[in-house]
Amino acid sequence: MIAADVMISDVITVSADASVNEVAKTLLANRISAVPVVDQQGRLVGIVSEGDLVRRPEIGTERARSWWLDALSTNRGLADEFVRSHSRKVKDVMARDVVTATPDTSLDQIATLLEKHRIKRVPIVSDGKIVGIVSRANLVQALASLMEKLRPATSTSDAALRGQLLARLQKAPRTGSLPNVIVYGGTVQLWGIVDSEAERNVVRVAVEVTPGVRRVIDNLIVHADDRQ
């Protein structure tokens, strides 16, 4: 399998000109732990994670003032860290050296990147623009999907069927993020968090009625606040 088979295509991004407050709200609203940063042309320029927002003066977790004064005068690296923790602009807070992969990168290579760089996710880039993201959770989803007893492959290729399903779900009446879809041998596994039981049913039915789908395994979770 390759990145294109498991990646989240509906990637939430923020602008380099956004504020730290906007990023924090984006992470919370979408229940994600990091968000890619793009420029006006949609090119990937950085990434901001929860870890980048831990040391903040607004919540009293910044470094001691005397420590920072020493840092500014003796160490450029520590001075840069001061800017990252105190600035209110995404372009100052984001990590710029982003580890990326392409849609045809194998999952084995993705796993190696995650381990080597000790990161939780890899943005998938094509022609400089972000087209998806693969996280550790997506690899676990792929593993769980492939360990099911699956039926023989259909005439429609899994990759083509996945593309059709994602396009259909984009148009379906949803309020939350696009679920992840993994297809193998005509069997479709749905992963992610939806905002309500009604939305869960919309996703399931939209997939079930798609030509080429032989079986649907619903792993979707209804957000705790919306359970009856």
Side-chain angles (χ1 to χ4, degrees):
M1 299 183 76
I2 59 177
D5 295 326
V6 304
M7 70 184 187
I8 298 296
S9 300
D10 187 21
V11 184
I12 297 166
T13 62
V14 296
S15 165
D17 295 324
S19 68
V20 168
N21 182 50
E22 289 173 324
V23 169
K25 289 181 177 179
T26 297
L27 295 178
L28 292 173
N30 295 282
R31 301 187 285 275
I32 53 179
S33 59
V35 60
V37 183
V38 297
D39 62 15
Q40 295 182 345
Q41 287 71 46
R43 294 186 297 253
L44 181 68
V45 295
I47 192 166
V48 179
S49 70
E50 292 173 330
D52 297 315
L53 306 180
V54 171
R55 289 287 186 179
R56 299 294 307 181
E58 297 90 341
I59 55 176
T61 57
E62 79 278 18
R63 303 287 185 179
R65 179 175 175 80
S66 60
W67 185 90
W68 284 116
L69 291 176
D70 290 340
L72 289 170
S73 62
T74 62
N75 189 302
R76 174 62 186 275
L78 297 180
D80 289 343
E81 187 177 340
F82 175 87
V83 173
R84 283 169 57 83
S85 65
H86 284 67
S87 176
R88 297 180 180 177
K89 299 181 181 297
V90 167
K91 62 183 179 182
D92 293 325
V93 174
M94 69 183 186
R96 296 177 181 273
D97 187 16
V98 185
V99 177
T100 64
T102 61
D104 60 355
T105 301
S106 71
L107 295 193
D108 177 61
Q109 291 174 296
I110 296 288
T112 299
L113 289 174
L114 293 174
E115 290 180 339
K116 178 180 179 180
H117 298 280
R118 297 182 180 180
I119 53 180
K120 298 180 179 179
R121 65 200 61 79
V122 176
I124 308 302
V125 176
S126 179
D127 296 326
K129 296 185 178 181
I130 186 166
V131 296
I133 195 162
V134 176
S135 68
R136 293 187 297 190
N138 299 139
L139 297 185
V140 175
Q141 292 166 0
L143 174 63
S145 299
L146 293 177
M147 291 184 71
E148 292 283 343
K149 293 181 179 180
L150 303 172
R151 298 184 181 184
T154 62
S155 57
T156 303
S157 73
D158 292 332
L161 181 56
R162 184 174 191 263
Q164 294 172 18
L165 291 170
L166 291 174
R168 179 174 290 237
L169 291 177
Q170 284 279 14
K171 299 177 181 179
R174 299 177 297 103
T175 57
S177 301
L178 187 69
N180 195 20
V181 176
I182 295 179
V183 183
Y184 193 82
T187 293
V188 179
Q189 292 225 19
L190 301 172
W191 299 90
I193 300 176
V194 292
D195 286 343
S196 66
E197 191 65 39
E199 183 169 337
R200 180 179 186 174
N201 289 331
V202 166
V203 172
R204 175 181 54 79
V205 171
V207 171
E208 287 176 342
V209 300
T210 301
V213 173
R214 303 194 60 172
R215 181 186 177 200
V216 178
I217 300 176
D218 182 0
N219 302 298
L220 296 172
I221 298 174
V222 179
H223 190 249
D225 293 342
D226 298 288
R227 292 175 181 167
Q228 299 297 322

